[in-house]
Amino acid sequence: MRSPHPLSRRHFCLCCVGAATYAATGGWVTPREAFAEARGIVSLIKDSAATSAIVTHKLRNNISVFEGSGGNIAILTGSDGKLLIDAGIGVSRPQITKALAELGAEPVTHLVNTHWHFDHADGNDWLHSVGAKIIAQENTRKHLSTVQRVEDWDYNFLPSPRGAIPSETFKTERGLKLNGSSIRLKHYGPAHTDGDISVTFSEANILHVGDTYWNGIYPFIDYSTGGSINGMITASDANLAVARNDTIIIPGHGRPVSNKAELREFRDMLAAIRDNVARLKKPGKSRDETVAAKPTADFDAKWGQFVIDPGYFTRLVYQGV
Ligand SMILES: [Zn+2]
């Protein structure tokens, strides 16, 4: 079966490999095959990113977003140098370098990581090598500095190279002033991981919300490093509280240019499925019985067409209710 979702294989990313059912051939595989694939999944993702094109979406003021290397990457350009929000996957360096050059000749001077995941921070090392100072929430630095085991991916990540470790961290909030933009970095508290931050570009009215929001697809939630379904909902509420009707919202994954109405729909989907799963778990249904009861059924046609499929998403929610 091929995914009917409009998102193509170039969106394949580490956050999605929990399902581990989407093979290099572009087809779905059996669980047994998926298990065999899991060992080489990082190579698989790198291979995929290495050949994927980068698509540039110009937003407004001097801000754009790159789609095609892991999570959605925001770029602020100007005479102070370029600021990137997330780094994508390292092997995309040639395509990202070209796409950056098309936005202007100034060097990359700053990089912010929305969280520690590979598909958002793997490019840290090369971006640092060309001059980027890396800024992140302190838990992101901690996760990038030490071995991380992600249970749902059955994978141990080694510590990042020295240059890839954020050199500046903050606990709750940090402001930046670059290229005429006021930029605010704000920690959500535990959400998709324990280090997620939002990035607000005040004058342009643009909000990058990292992996607290997956536009049009069920999200991955990383319980191994502090994420939870309730944390995701709390983060969505925080995003809705600061967004205005004309705010451009950049999600971590999915269609890269979104808005408050679509975000509200995502939040309501999370809350409804959380409640459905809790109603099944509370009287004692097992995880498999809960999956079999299809608590996501009302939402699957819209949200369940990507690699975090309905069963997998139900299991993630079940873990947190
Ligand atoms: Zn992530």
Side-chain angles (χ1 to χ4, degrees):
M1 190 188 106
R2 282 177 185 270
S3 168
H5 200 277
L7 293 172
S8 68
R9 274 183 62 220
R10 68 194 156 81
H11 298 270
F12 192 79
C13 64
L14 195 66
C15 282
C16 306
V17 304
T21 53
Y22 201 62
T25 55
W28 294 92
V29 298
T30 64
R32 188 187 174 87
E33 286 170 318
F35 182 78
E37 286 287 340
R39 213 172 284 275
I41 204 79
V42 171
S43 324
L44 178 68
I45 291 158
K46 285 184 176 176
D47 289 350
S48 172
T51 55
S52 296
I54 297 295
V55 177
T56 302
H57 304 260
K58 293 207 170 176
L59 303 181
R60 55 188 171 212
N61 296 16
N62 41 353
I63 298 166
S64 304
V65 61
F66 289 168
E67 184 185 13
S69 178
N72 295 319
I73 299 170
I75 308 98
L76 170 74
T77 58
S79 55
D80 294 335
K82 294 189 180 94
L83 159 71
L84 267 62
I85 310 302
D86 281 343
I89 295 170
V91 289
S92 305
R93 176 175 181 172
Q95 299 96 303
I96 290 179
T97 301
K98 181 167 169 279
L100 285 170
E102 285 165 5
L103 293 178
E106 65 273 13
V108 179
T109 52
H110 295 77
L111 164 64
V112 168
N113 290 137
T114 60
H115 62 297
W116 75 275
H117 282 156
F118 168 87
D119 50 327
H120 302 257
D122 186 60
N124 279 15
D125 201 31
W126 81 263
L127 284 162
H128 174 259
S129 77
V130 299
K133 175 166 77 177
I134 306 176
I135 305 167
Q137 205 275 340
E138 61 188 24
N139 291 333
T140 296
R141 179 187 162 98
K142 184 182 77 186
H143 296 311
L144 288 172
S145 306
T146 54
V147 175
Q148 295 301 308
R149 173 158 184 80
V150 175
E151 285 301 333
D152 283 299
W153 300 333
D154 187 25
Y155 198 89
N156 296 312
F157 290 90
L158 296 176
S160 298
R162 186 191 300 260
I165 309 286
S167 58
E168 282 190 25
T169 61
F170 62 96
K171 194 177 180 69
T172 53
E173 261 187 88
R174 161 91 199 260
L176 290 170
K177 191 93 185 169
L178 284 170
N179 299 320
S181 283
S182 314
I183 303 141
R184 184 136 293 274
L185 316 178
K186 190 162 188 233
H187 186 219
Y188 287 103
H192 163 80
T193 66
D194 60 9
D196 306 284
I197 59 166
S198 61
V199 182
T200 305
F201 297 93
S202 303
E203 294 82 359
N205 189 17
I206 293 174
L207 176 64
H208 193 315
V209 297
D211 276 2
T212 67
Y213 174 32
W214 295 42
N215 188 13
I217 48 182
Y218 288 139
F220 179 65
I221 303 169
D222 184 4
Y223 287 83
S224 293
T225 54
S228 70
I229 178 64
N230 285 325
M232 289 288 282
I233 294 168
T234 302
S236 291
D237 287 336
N239 291 332
L240 287 168
V242 296
R244 302 196 293 269
N245 288 338
D246 58 350
T247 300
I248 292 176
I249 299 176
I250 304 172
H253 296 277
R255 294 181 306 275
V257 186
S258 188
N259 56 50
K260 189 174 186 179
E262 290 179 341
L263 173 64
R264 185 178 288 113
E265 205 184 333
F266 174 79
R267 186 265 175 218
D268 290 347
M269 175 276 293
L270 294 181
I273 291 176
R274 186 261 322 265
D275 293 348
N276 288 350
V277 171
R279 260 195 302 277
L280 293 161
K281 185 175 180 179
K282 206 172 173 197
K285 282 209 190 307
S286 71
R287 200 180 68 165
D288 289 349
E289 288 166 344
T290 301
V291 171
K294 301 191 186 307
T296 65
D298 290 348
F299 300 93
D300 292 345
K302 176 173 167 67
W303 303 90
Q305 305 300 318
F306 201 50
V307 287
I308 303 294
D309 65 20
Y312 188 69
F313 186 58
T314 302
R315 290 192 289 277
L316 287 174
V317 174
Y318 186 90
Q319 200 172 335
V321 297

